[in-house]
Amino acid sequence: MKLLMIIWCACIASLQILVAEEPQLILPKTKVIHPLGWYSAQQQLWADEVKRHRKDPKTWLNYYAASRYAGMGDSELDLIVSNMAGDAAHSFEFALVKGWHLGNTLEGFKQIALAYNLQPQNASTYASMLLFSDIENDRSERAQFSQKLLASGLLSSSLLHYSYNVLMSVEQGGVLITEGENTAVPLYVLQDVFDVREDVKVVQLELLTTAELRTKILSNHRLLLNDGVASATNNTQAIAIQLPIQNPSYKFFYGLTLTQDNVSSIREQLYVVGLASQKSSERLDNLKVIQRNIESRFLLDYLTVDFNGESEFASGRVLSANYLVPMLMLHEFYREKNEMERANDLYLLIQKIAIQSGKEQLVNNYLAGKQAQVPYFPHQLDLKEIEGIFKKVKDNVYAQEYEVTNVQYNTFLNYLHINGQDGLYSKFNFDLSRYEEPALSFMKTYTANRVATKKDKYFTRYPAVNISYESAVAYCEWLTDQYNKQAGRKYKKVKFRLPSIKEWQIAALGYAKVQTWELDENNVEVGIPKNATDELTKDHRTIPVKGNDILYPWYRSFNYRNKVLNSRGCSLGNFKFPDDQKPCLPAKMISVDGFVMMSMVQAYFPNDIGLYDVVGNVSEMTEEKGKSCGGSWNHVPEESTIRSVNNYDRPDPAVGFRVFMEVLEQ
């Protein structure tokens, strides 16, 4: 009997595995929005299905949809369409996939229309046909497809509620810029079926990148756009910038779902007014607008009680995190006016949204003022740049090549300012309170938020100093939150943070084959020069780190393991030297190391794993508040080793930080 039970349990376990690996239908994003990893997993499952059922067009359709939502590149999608043509060329599904693949072009929409004519009852085409009708300025046909789409059940109920409040964020006769079919389509349905805010001109940004569509859409809405600008740049960012400039008689609003890269250059002119931001060249009292919209225009009951029983991946529920931006601003406004009852009521709703969107801890810490964490607002990161500057230290721990620079830290401060977090901006700003003239003017110039040009380099590539420990932690947490929400990232989940002292020391050692996190427990391979003054090595030897006076990251040339000057008397790092010590050649150098204070990052050679300036330049904060490592421009070489632990008690011109990255999920 016991054997039978074991066999039975094994069968059940096997069955569960099989069920878990069954591919799921890929529904449109007007219905559900899954994480990128889910779509990637489904893409693999549907790829296997295609191998087993090559002649089934529905299998191909799901395979293509999963691949597209997983962020597959154009070449991979081209191959899927090409292979599908060989197995299901005359099917409804192929016509639909081909239309999707042709993208925002007139030819693409005509291909969707062909698919619709093949199967008018299939709801998969309704959203695209709705957009096509709008492009063709056929409001009657658009209304028909709005009705069809609503009746099909492919619109999330919560998405309709969310979209209602987006429309209510727009002033009378305003132009609303959206991005993505799933955010534009429900707005049209509300206008067509429920007569909600028909005065709002809804413009889907990416449709304007195609000249033939752009001409039709602009004409429909009586908007102007210099076609030379649009076609020369052919990108959504330029169009988003130019539209309000060339149409000054209209008020322009940008949905909070818009990719931040599209509005990055006009962020200082955008004011959150609800679920959209209004562009204004003059200062806008947006808090009063937010108050009016949330208190009297928005329908919010659906956030409190879910009568439709939608899943956590329902489109509207996924997008509900965008309410946190205006609601947190309004909550702070209530508190400042001492309207505590309103503040408390709003707090309960903020909490509910935060829990549903996985941001409970962040919001709680922000509201309670316990932690330096900033609430999440979308910000477009350059993933290629970020992922490229981290070097592996050991296991799943990576370190940034160089200390955080002024330009990097100012990006964070600018983010706080643009998103109306003036309190946090002041809290985390450079602390120049200890300076008096003329040093104050210098440090203001040093920390200024500027963009370097070929003519003017400024101090953008110098390490960020004069910031608090809490500010460095806040920067790391902000970067963590932003990275983990980016589509197309290399790692599924990471944590950016300050290192432990042990982690920092191993990173400073810079040995690719390091064995443990205890510095003195490692053995390293060094090169033995022929003569005591030689820099070039002849033989190699493995030695223990402990007891061999390995003080600097250039220890691989054994004679230099505890020296800071090369054979010509030039410093290998940025340290504090006696004033009477002569600089090395060339004679125009002002000091032994060439710098009176900080140097720009990457001014000296990196260690063996690619980290620059681990000793000298600026002492680098660790996770232990008040403890930094590696010494600085203001420390003598003996205090600036890979073993050095320095103390600081406030923001300091000799203390900066280097971000470490811990990969939590590949």
Side-chain angles (χ1 to χ4, degrees), residues 317-328:
R317 292 192 65 181
V318 173
L319 297 179
S320 67
N322 287 322
Y323 283 105
L324 294 174
V325 180
M327 285 184 177
L328 284 168

Side-chain angles (χ1 to χ4, degrees), residues 602-636:
Q602 299 176 298
Y604 300 91
F605 290 110
N607 67 11
D608 275 17
I609 62 172
L611 305 186
Y612 294 84
D613 305 317
V614 288
V615 293
N617 205 27
V618 294
S619 189
E620 299 176 9
M621 297 181 197
T622 67
E623 65 180 4
E624 187 175 345
K625 185 176 180 180
K627 301 290 185 183
S628 59
C629 288
S632 72
W633 61 270
N634 201 32
H635 289 87
V636 295

Side-chain angles (χ1 to χ4, degrees), residues 4-186:
L4 288 175
M5 287 300 295
I6 293 173
I7 294 172
W8 170 252
C9 291
C11 290
I12 291 296
S14 299
L15 181 60
Q16 288 174 337
I17 292 171
L18 288 173
V19 170
E21 292 183 348
E22 282 291 314
Q24 299 182 39
L25 292 178
I26 309 301
L27 296 172
K29 290 191 174 181
T30 54
K31 184 68 175 178
V32 293
I33 302 175
H34 287 282
L36 188 67
W38 184 89
Y39 289 112
S40 296
Q42 290 300 313
Q43 188 266 343
Q44 292 295 324
L45 293 174
W46 281 110
D48 293 337
E49 284 294 299
V50 164
K51 292 176 183 177
R52 291 191 289 266
H53 308 287
R54 292 193 62 89
K55 299 299 181 181
D56 182 1
K58 291 184 176 62
T59 302
W60 279 105
L61 175 61
N62 281 281
Y63 178 37
Y64 178 84
S67 301
R68 190 178 185 89
Y69 289 159
M72 298 287 285
D74 290 340
S75 59
E76 291 91 342
L77 294 176
D78 287 343
L79 184 60
I80 293 174
V81 175
S82 175
N83 290 336
M84 186 180 181
D87 293 318
H90 303 293
S91 65
F92 159 83
E93 288 79 7
F94 179 70
L96 180 59
V97 164
K98 188 175 179 181
W100 286 346
H101 193 59
L102 288 169
N104 299 311
T105 63
L106 196 57
E107 185 182 356
F109 280 107
K110 287 181 178 179
Q111 191 68 33
I112 299 289
L114 173 62
Y116 170 74
N117 290 328
L118 289 173
Q119 291 187 16
Q121 78 287 354
N122 194 312
S124 301
T125 61
Y126 293 167
S128 296
M129 289 300 295
L130 188 159
L131 291 177
F132 190 27
S133 301
D134 182 68
I135 293 167
E136 295 296 316
N137 204 26
D138 190 335
R139 292 301 296 269
S140 174
E141 186 173 80
R142 194 186 91 173
Q144 291 177 28
F145 280 109
S146 289
Q147 290 279 5
K148 287 174 179 286
L149 183 60
L150 181 65
S152 72
L154 290 182
L155 268 179
S156 159
S157 173
S158 56
L159 181 60
L160 282 173
H161 282 87
Y162 177 91
S163 301
Y164 176 91
N165 292 333
V166 172
L167 287 172
M168 289 302 170
S169 302
V170 181
E171 295 297 317
Q172 183 72 25
V175 180
L176 174 62
I177 307 297
T178 68
E179 183 179 14
E181 183 178 283
N182 64 307
T183 58
V185 164

Side-chain angles (χ1 to χ4, degrees), residues 168-172 253 273 278 286-298 330 334:
M168 289 302 170
S169 302
V170 181
E171 295 297 317
Q172 183 72 25
F253 296 78
V273 291
Q278 180 177 346
N286 58 325
L287 282 172
K288 287 186 176 180
V289 181
I290 290 173
Q291 182 182 17
R292 180 201 64 191
N293 288 340
I294 290 180
E295 288 182 359
S296 60
R297 287 190 171 187
F298 283 12
L330 182 58
Y334 284 151

